[in-house]
Amino acid sequence: MTLDRVKVGQSVVIDTFLNPESSAEAIRLGLVPGHRLTVVHKLSGGPVVVRTAVTEIAVGHTLARQIDVRPANP
């Protein structure tokens, strides 16, 4: 599942990036494989706002479609 498909309130863990360009962009935002995220807000076709352990980040829709995630353990 990719980050753009995660429902608001759901927690996920980043698995991998689907291409090298998205990997570099996500890492610049501080998003790396293994990090746990909670989706706090989504705009249809727009950014996905996620909360990490220390901050909230707005991830553009195009980038969110390139971040592969899996459900986080409770």
Side-chain angles (χ1 to χ4, degrees):
M1 164 175 47
T2 55
L3 184 58
D4 64 311
R5 297 183 178 266
V6 177
K7 294 179 182 176
V8 172
Q10 187 176 359
S11 292
V12 296
V13 175
I14 298 173
D15 268 338
T16 189
F17 305 110
L18 301 180
N19 67 50
E21 293 81 22
S22 64
S23 174
E25 186 175 353
I27 290 170
R28 281 193 292 273
L29 292 174
L31 304 174
V32 296
H35 276 190
R36 181 183 175 120
L37 310 172
T38 301
V39 174
V40 295
H41 187 71
K42 285 175 67 173
L43 294 173
S44 180
V48 177
V49 179
V50 297
R51 180 180 305 123
T52 66
V54 295
T55 191
E56 288 187 359
I57 301 166
V59 180
H61 187 74
T62 302
L63 178 58
R65 288 186 313 200
Q66 298 297 316
I67 299 174
D68 197 34
V69 297
R70 60 181 158 78
N73 293 330

